[in-house]
């Protein structure tokens, strides 16, 4: 809605995707509300309000009426989970799941001391006392059971009414209130009390599970130090970490945790990056090397120039992306939610027919069939089924993030596990991304320093691994680079620009030949020999129409990553084929491919990689792994894209997943994580559906009663929740 003002609230008490749908449905009905965003893990609601329509207070009252605690957020204020809101799609979910009812006084209390837990303990005490009274003083037992029922029905009934008014009449609260009230009216007070007690117990356990899932995200945010030691004209001062800005210089002492992303300007040390990347071995860092926020300085004193701080730091963005990922629904979850839209009202209708039709047709007493109808209401509730998928997905995503495997949602996680083929880029992905110039051959009349100076001038400002190799070679010779103007990058081919007033270009031999800068016969033979040795050849040329000419060539070599062969072998053991797609020359690509034992498609321009991805997809789901820069089109075209890199902008933003530790073996770890998560989902769905079917049959036959019906629902919910939480302990194979 044009002209709307953005508002945001912290909403405490949401514990599953159905709670998201519940809040969304309630606020969307208000006048002037648009663009509603609800983030489960961040516990945040954001929306636009049109001028002159509903006031923010109206929104707060609508959400509070559902039983949630609502706190207005100031513009730009971060939420506790460290996550920004994400637009929720496909939220027309009619089934409103049970949720925790928070109390402001509960903040900071352990779960067993909250108001919700106190309700469970009170109900448990009343039910236990009633059971004991049944032996000692039977008349008192009935009254104690009724007291337990009434204690619970007051808050649950108020909530069911609020949900019905907000557009969710088919809520578990409604089903539970109807069943418990009906049981009490027909004289089954003991079973009515068991219904409300088991319901409250299951509700509390779901709240605990949601808190465990959020704890993983909050742990990421907690890694960020609150203060930093900033250097200034007046010396080193301790300042709030949030006050740091790009360009500031901070001092990192041994044992300190980096308060920002930065570049080392002075000092050498080993840094423990395991909190961010999951890598257990410290990494050496010196002048010019990047440092990721949250890393722990193990040895010497470092000075860092701040590149990103606060909510822009890598750690904060990882936490934000994990929170957003848990809000993104996969195919399985969307199907389950659509199924529940039809199932819940259908189950209520079926329960009504079971309660009414047999007595009307003379097939039994009203009381017996009314009892069975009430039990059927509880058996048919799809609570466990609805929570089974998001609980497993949230646990899997959180577990992956702790090991440097960042996946952006359930859809991506499902796609990675289904992969039949993994296509790898070469430079910076299968290779270490730290190539070096090994050979330098000028044409007659040119010098090595002259060719290297111009080549480095063209590559100035580029972050590509080959460009870094050329720039490092020029720096080693202390060459002064000419200023570059009118630079143009030809993706996968060359870079051109004006140097010293002349148009120059640097690119592959094929590009050079097409641009009129073919190598002389002697150098052409030399280039072929270098490529046969597995090196990448790039040609420097002067672009001047008919006077265009090659000025020399450079050869660059990048060795395979140390874990590349093992990573590809791990994929083979999982039944996943691997292939390399590279823009490098066929001989250089073949040399790396032969060393790693995988087929190679070489000399591919970006459009060539797209064509290869399209061809591979006809054979099955394809995952593309690249550095996230030149491979962006292929990453987008694949079934799922995985970016390599230690938290770079592209690695975090381009693909469906990112390997923060930059190890090839992480691809197999992602596939294993996905398959373990999907296996967990299938187990959960099987438990939820299996228990429903068993108790549905026994209820219709009159074998099981109301308390067994609610135990089937609550028991299934507890089982699938605990099973999903097992994924939080997931570790890479052999890790």
């Amino acid at each position: 809605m044009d002209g709307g003002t953005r508002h945001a609230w912290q909403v405490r008490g949401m514990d599953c995707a159905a709670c998201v749908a519940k809040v969304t449905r309630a606020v969307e009905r208000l006048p002037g509300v648009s663009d509603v965003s609800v983030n489960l893990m961040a516990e945040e609601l954001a929306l636009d309000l049109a001028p002159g329509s509903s006031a923010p207070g109206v929104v707060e009252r609508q959400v509070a009426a559902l039983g949630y605690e609502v706190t207005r957020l100031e513009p730009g204020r971060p939420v506790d989970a460290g996550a920004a809101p994400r637009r929720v799609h496909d939220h027309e979910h009619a089934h409103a799941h049970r949720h925790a009812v928070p109390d402001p006084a509960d903040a900071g209390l352990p779960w067993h001391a909250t108001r919700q837990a106190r309700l469970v303990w009170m109900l448990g005490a009343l039910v236990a006392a009633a059971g004991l009274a049944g032996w000692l003083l039977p008349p008192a037992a009935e009254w104690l059971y009724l007291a337990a029922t009434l204690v619970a029905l007051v808050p649950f009934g108020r909530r069911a009414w609020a949900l019905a008014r907000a557009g969710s009449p088919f809520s578990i609260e409604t089903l539970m209130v109807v069943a418990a009230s009906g049981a009490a009216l027909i004289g089954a007070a003991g079973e009515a009390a068991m219904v409300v007690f088991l319901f409250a117990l299951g509700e509390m356990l779901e709240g605990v599970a949601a808190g465990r899932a959020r704890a993983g995200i909050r742990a990421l945010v907690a890694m960020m130090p609150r203060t930093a030691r900033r250097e200034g004209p007046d010396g080193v001062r301790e300042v709030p970490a949030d006050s740091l800005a790009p360009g500031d210089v901070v001092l990192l002492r041994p044992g300190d945790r980096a308060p920002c992303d930065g570049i080392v300007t002075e000092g050498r040390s080993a840094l423990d990056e395991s909190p961010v990347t999951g890598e257990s071995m410290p990494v050496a860092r010196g002048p010019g090397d990047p440092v990721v926020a949250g890393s722990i300085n193990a040895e010497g004193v470092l000075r860092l120039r701040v590149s990103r701080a606060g909510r822009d730091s890598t750690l904060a963005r990882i936490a934000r992306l994990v929170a957003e990922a848990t809000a993104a629904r996969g195919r399985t979850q969307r199907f389950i939610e659509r199924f529940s839209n039809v199932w819940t009202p259908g189950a209520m209708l079926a329960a009504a027919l079971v309660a009414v039709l047999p007595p009307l047709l003379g097939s039994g007493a009203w009381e017996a069939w009314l009892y069975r109808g009430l039990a059927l209401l509880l058996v048919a509730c799809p609570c466990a089924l609805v929570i089974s998928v998001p609980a497993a997905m949230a646990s899997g995503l959180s577990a992956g993030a702790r090991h440097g495997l960042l996946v952006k949602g359930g859809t991506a996680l499902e796609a990675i596990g289904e992969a039949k083929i993994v296509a790898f880029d070469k430079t910076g992905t299968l290779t270490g991304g730290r190539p070096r110039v090994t050979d330098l051959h000028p044409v007659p009349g040119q010098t090595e320093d002259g060719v290297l100076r111009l080549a480095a001038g063209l590559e100035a400002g580029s972050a590509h691994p080959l460009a870094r190799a050329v720039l490092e070679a020029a720096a080693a010779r202390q060459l002064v680079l000419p200023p570059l103007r009118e630079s143009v990058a030809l993706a996968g081919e060359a870079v051109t620009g004006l140097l010293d007033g002349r148009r120059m270009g640097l690119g592959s031999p094929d590009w050079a030949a097409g641009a009129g800068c073919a190598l002389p016969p002697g150098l052409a033979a030399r280039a072929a020999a270098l490529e046969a040795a597995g090196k990448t050849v790039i040609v420097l040329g002067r672009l001047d129409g008919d006077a265009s000419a090659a000025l020399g060539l450079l050869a660059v070599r990048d060795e395979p990553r140390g874990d590349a062969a093992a990573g590809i072998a791990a994929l083979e053991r999982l039944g996943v084929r691997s292939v390399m797609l590279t823009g490098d020359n066929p001989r250089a690509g073949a040399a790396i491919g032969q060393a790693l034992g995988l087929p190679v498609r070489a000399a591919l321009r970006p459009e060539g990689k797209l064509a290869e991805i399209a061809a591979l997809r006809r054979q099955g789901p394809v995952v593309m792994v690249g550095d996230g820069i030149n491979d962006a089109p292929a990453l987008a075209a694949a079934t799922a894209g995985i970016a390599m890199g230690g938290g770079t902008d592209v690695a975090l933003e381009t693909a469906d997943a990112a390997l923060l530790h930059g190890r090839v073996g992480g691809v197999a770890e992602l596939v294993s994580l996905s398959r373990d998560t999907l296996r967990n989902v299938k187990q959960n769905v099987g438990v939820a559906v299996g228990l429903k079917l068993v108790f549905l049959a026994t209820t219709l036959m009159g074998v099981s009663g109301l308390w067994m019906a609610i135990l089937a629902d609550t028991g299934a919910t507890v089982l699938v929740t605990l099973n999903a939480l097992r994924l939080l302990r997931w570790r890479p194979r052999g890790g």
Side-chain angles (χ1 to χ4, degrees), residues 348-367:
M348 295 189 72
L349 177 61
L353 293 176
V354 166
V356 174
L357 279 183
L360 288 178
L361 297 175
S363 297
W366 278 96
E367 182 176 330

Side-chain angles (χ1 to χ4, degrees), residues 284-625:
R285 290 289 183 260
D289 290 332
V291 171
V292 181
S295 301
I296 302 171
N297 185 17
E299 297 174 357
V301 176
L302 296 177
R303 281 180 171 79
L304 307 181
R305 178 173 291 107
V306 177
S307 56
R308 287 188 298 258
R311 285 175 61 82
D312 293 328
S313 71
T314 296
L315 192 61
R317 288 184 297 135
I318 290 172
R320 186 161 62 245
L321 287 170
V322 173
E324 290 177 354
T326 59
R329 293 173 170 91
R331 295 189 307 274
T332 305
Q333 183 175 342
R334 291 195 298 270
F335 170 77
I336 293 295
E337 291 178 355
R338 288 195 300 269
F339 171 77
S340 68
N341 289 342
V342 179
W343 175 265
T344 305
M348 295 189 72
L349 177 61
L353 293 176
V354 166
V356 174
L357 279 183
L360 288 178
L361 297 175
S363 297
W366 278 96
E367 182 176 330
W369 283 105
L370 179 60
Y371 183 91
R372 293 180 188 181
L374 293 174
L376 185 61
L377 271 181
L378 299 174
V379 171
C381 177
C383 297
L385 189 60
V386 169
I387 198 175
S388 61
V389 180
M393 288 293 179
S395 296
L397 293 167
S398 297
R402 288 204 300 272
H403 294 284
L405 310 173
L406 181 62
V407 187
K408 298 181 181 178
T411 299
L413 194 60
E414 290 180 15
I416 292 170
E418 296 167 354
K420 301 298 183 186
I421 305 169
V422 173
F424 289 93
D425 173 49
K426 181 177 77 72
T427 304
T429 302
L430 289 175
T431 61
R434 298 293 296 183
R436 60 185 183 87
V437 174
T438 59
D439 299 87
L440 186 57
H441 298 284
V443 300
Q446 300 292 328
T447 64
E448 289 188 1
D449 282 357
V451 169
L452 183 57
R453 172 179 174 273
L454 294 174
L458 286 169
E459 297 285 22
S462 174
H464 192 278
L466 296 181
R468 289 200 301 268
V470 174
L471 290 168
E472 288 173 2
R477 298 194 183 197
Q478 299 182 335
L479 300 178
V480 178
L481 306 186
L484 174 65
R485 295 189 297 113
E486 299 181 19
S487 177
V488 177
L490 307 176
E493 293 187 79
V495 60
T496 67
L498 288 178
L499 296 174
D500 296 335
R502 296 179 297 173
R503 174 68 61 180
M504 297 287 180
L506 184 69
S508 67
D510 287 343
W511 165 84
C517 301
L519 291 168
L523 278 185
R526 183 60 182 163
L530 292 170
E531 289 180 346
K535 299 180 180 180
T536 300
V537 173
I538 47 180
V539 177
L540 174 71
R542 182 180 63 248
L543 306 177
D544 190 14
D546 293 340
S548 297
L551 302 181
L553 65 82
L554 301 88
V556 180
R557 177 74 181 247
D558 190 12
E559 299 297 330
R561 291 179 182 267
D563 76 321
I568 291 169
L571 285 171
E572 290 179 357
R573 289 193 295 271
L574 293 171
V576 180
R577 293 192 293 118
S578 299
V579 62
M580 179 176 26
L581 307 181
T582 178
D584 210 341
N585 69 80
R587 281 171 292 217
I592 298 296
Q594 184 176 6
L596 299 178
L598 76 168
V600 178
R601 311 282 193 276
L604 296 176
R605 297 181 180 182
E607 59 270 22
K609 286 188 178 182
L610 286 176
E612 288 290 342
I613 291 293
L616 291 172
R617 289 195 67 168
R618 288 193 286 270
Q619 304 174 35
V622 177
V623 168
M624 174 68 191
V625 186

